[in-house]
Amino acid sequence: MFDNLKKAFSNVSTGFSEKDLNEKDIEDVLFELEINLLESDVATEVIDSIKDSLKEKIIGSRVEKKNIQNFVKQSLIEYISETFDNAGHVDLIDRINQKKDSNEPFIVVFVGINGTGKTTSLAKVANLLKNEKFSLAIAAADTYRAGAIEQLREHTNRLNLKIIAQNYGSDPAAVAKDAVLYAKSHKVDCVLVDTAGRMQTSSNLMEQIEKITKVVKPDMKIFVGDSLAGNDTVNQAREFHNHVKFDCSILTKSDADARGGAALSIVKVTSSPIIYVGVGQEYDDIVKFDKNQNHNNQNQNQNHNNQNQNQNLNLNPNLNQNLKVEIVMILSMVLKLMTSMIMLICMMYLHQKLMMRQKN
Ligand SMILES: Nc1nc2c(ncn2[C@@H]2O[C@H](COP(=O)(O)OP(=O)(O)O)[C@@H](O)[C@H]2O)c(=O)[nH]1
Ligand SMILES: [Mg+2]
């Protein structure tokens, strides 16, 4: 994922001949870097921070012109690496194991905007934890989006897991609380709470998530971000982090993203680590985040070796709705075409009749 990011400065600023750098040289170099980082999907505020830090370094180190390219490239690699290291490390499985002795369930709440892959990532994590022999209960606390409960129920049916759900419009915090009570009384290791990604307003959504977290006091809050959404993902991460101080993130759809800028930006803006990366649409298409790995082609290298293999997780209700709308549109077009053809045949028939009458 980060190969391109690290290469962001490999093909610029080789044409210096004089020994000393002047202000304009530095500006030119940083401008080239900015373009390359923008192309790698790094958020603009993160680019500004990189530029500031490099400018300081270049001036402070009195780099010679002929070494500037290598210097900037090396500094960029260090910056990326330090950003990921400074965000710390979170291991979900370790954390659940640590809480197991207390006989209390480990509660995880998934947050993020609609369509980023929250429910799908929850299902992938559920599958992963099930394979680690943890017992699970899933809370359908997205009671807002049409089809959300059915989507989650389909996952829990496939994975043979317990789901706790109420009706649409019911209080998500109450659903989450129900799931926690169920987990306590049945000695379940872990509760995964799905949440809504859109309400009437963004403040409604944040209030709702804050209420859920107050009521169930989760051990971990995971932000789910779409690696294809660029600056949007970073803005979402910041907003969620301001309201619910999530512990870590899952970055989805990295199978379709070769640039890595979203990961760097989320980690920089929230100072929290990415724990997993979604690399496809099957249950096994989730890998631990590794700052040195290229995650975008990792789903092709995976062993899809459990019983849930080849089950496509694209159960998104909106996508299904879109498909339904398209089918209805095609059918109505076919109907219109057929009506026009029938009318044409009728007209031709009448025309022929008229001609025969005229002849007679
Ligand atoms: N290619 C790819 N698609 C994904 C990934 N994660 C989720 N999706 C798709 O993203 C869409 C939205 O996912 P969903 O879980 O419903 O998002 P939610 O609204 O945040 O709950 C679905 O079509 C998923 O199949 C991923 O890692 N790779
Ligand atoms: Mg969902």
Side-chain angles (χ1 to χ4, degrees):
M1 184 191 280
F2 304 105
D3 292 356
N4 281 37
L5 207 52
K6 286 175 182 171
K7 278 181 211 148
F9 208 73
S10 57
N11 53 358
V12 290
S13 61
T14 45
F16 294 115
S17 53
E18 296 152 33
K19 195 163 182 281
D20 293 323
L21 279 173
N22 59 37
E23 183 80 10
K24 166 124 190 357
D25 296 331
I26 297 174
E27 288 304 327
D28 286 351
V29 157
L30 293 178
F31 179 71
E32 292 281 3
L33 178 72
E34 180 169 352
I35 301 293
N36 284 289
L37 290 172
L38 276 172
E39 280 170 1
S40 301
D41 249 359
V42 179
T44 36
E45 67 180 88
V46 179
I47 296 179
D48 288 343
S49 150
I50 295 176
K51 278 171 62 187
D52 288 348
S53 125
L54 289 195
K55 193 170 184 176
E56 234 172 76
K57 259 190 163 177
I58 296 171
I59 294 168
S61 328
R62 294 216 173 131
V63 191
E64 281 186 26
K65 272 191 179 181
K66 63 176 172 26
N67 298 328
I68 185 72
Q69 187 196 8
N70 259 345
F71 182 85
V72 173
K73 193 178 165 191
Q74 210 44 48
S75 303
L76 184 63
I77 291 172
E78 274 165 27
Y79 180 97
I80 294 170
S81 189
E82 273 169 20
T83 304
F84 287 125
D85 291 345
N86 291 343
H89 179 70
V90 170
D91 191 312
L92 176 62
I93 292 171
D94 278 359
R95 293 275 306 275
I96 301 173
N97 269 325
Q98 278 163 21
K99 205 178 178 192
K100 240 185 145 179
D101 297 337
S102 71
N103 270 334
E104 289 277 305
F106 188 91
I107 302 157
V108 187
V109 174
F110 289 73
V111 302
I113 292 294
N114 255 3
T116 53
K118 259 184 327 298
T119 308
T120 309
S121 300
L122 183 150
K124 289 176 181 177
V125 169
N127 179 52
L128 201 133
L129 297 178
K130 192 185 162 205
N131 291 342
E132 292 288 327
K133 309 283 181 262
F134 291 115
S135 52
L136 297 165
I138 313 294
D142 180 355
T143 59
Y144 183 77
R145 183 187 191 173
I149 300 174
E150 289 76 9
Q151 182 190 9
L152 196 60
R153 199 180 291 284
E154 180 64 31
H155 285 304
T156 53
N157 285 344
R158 288 180 184 186
L159 295 169
N160 198 16
L161 294 172
K162 173 75 184 172
I163 183 170
I164 286 88
Q166 292 179 13
N167 295 328
Y168 286 103
S170 54
D171 181 3
V175 179
K177 185 76 188 170
D178 267 6
V180 172
L181 291 176
Y182 172 89
K184 282 185 179 173
S185 62
H186 290 78
K187 303 251 168 296
V188 168
D189 298 324
C190 185
V191 178
L192 304 180
V193 182
D194 192 22
T195 62
R198 190 186 302 146
M199 298 292 294
Q200 296 86 346
T201 65
S202 156
S203 63
N204 279 160
L205 175 63
M206 295 305 156
E207 277 165 23
Q208 187 180 93
I209 309 259
E210 280 173 74
K211 184 175 174 193
I212 296 173
T213 60
K214 268 192 193 133
V215 170
V216 300
K217 298 188 179 57
D219 299 277
M220 190 180 283
K221 285 161 273 175
I222 302 180
F223 169 76
V224 179
D226 179 338
S227 59
L228 301 175
N231 278 315
D232 262 2
T233 305
V234 180
N235 293 335
Q236 293 159 14
R238 188 190 301 99
E239 193 176 358
F240 275 97
H241 203 256
N242 285 344
H243 284 87
V244 285
K245 284 272 164 297
F246 54 79
D247 302 88
C248 52
S249 304
I250 292 179
L251 195 62
T252 61
K253 308 179 194 177
S254 295
D255 45 313
D257 171 52
R259 294 170 289 186
L264 177 69
S265 308
I266 291 176
V267 170
K268 179 71 189 166
V269 166
T270 66
S271 302
S272 67
I274 290 171
I275 52 168
Y276 290 113
V277 175
V279 290
Q281 304 211 47
E282 291 179 28
Y283 286 110
D284 287 330
D285 286 334
I286 185 163
V287 292
K288 268 193 171 180
F289 174 78
D290 178 348
K291 66 177 184 181
N292 299 313
Q293 274 285 338
N294 190 358
H295 293 297
N296 62 313
N297 55 12
Q298 234 170 326
N299 62 336
Q300 286 144 25
N301 309 331
Q302 292 239 345
N303 280 338
H304 288 120
N305 57 358
N306 81 18
Q307 55 183 343
N308 303 308
Q309 66 174 315
N310 298 329
Q311 288 201 339
N312 197 289
L313 307 191
N314 195 353
L315 304 172
N316 188 304
N318 268 11
L319 287 184
N320 290 343
Q321 257 167 16
N322 287 349
L323 197 68
K324 274 184 211 159
V325 171
E326 270 170 29
I327 292 171
V328 170
M329 276 173 63
I330 291 170
L331 282 178
S332 74
M333 270 170 63
V334 170
L335 211 68
K336 273 185 196 161
L337 209 71
M338 280 171 67
T339 321
S340 316
M341 278 174 69
I342 291 170
M343 278 176 68
L344 197 74
I345 293 169
C346 286
M347 278 169 68
M348 280 167 68
Y349 176 77
L350 283 174
H351 181 74
Q352 219 170 14
K353 275 261 181 194
L354 218 66
M355 295 285 279
M356 288 202 2
R357 250 199 218 165
Q358 271 176 359
K359 263 188 203 168
N360 291 339

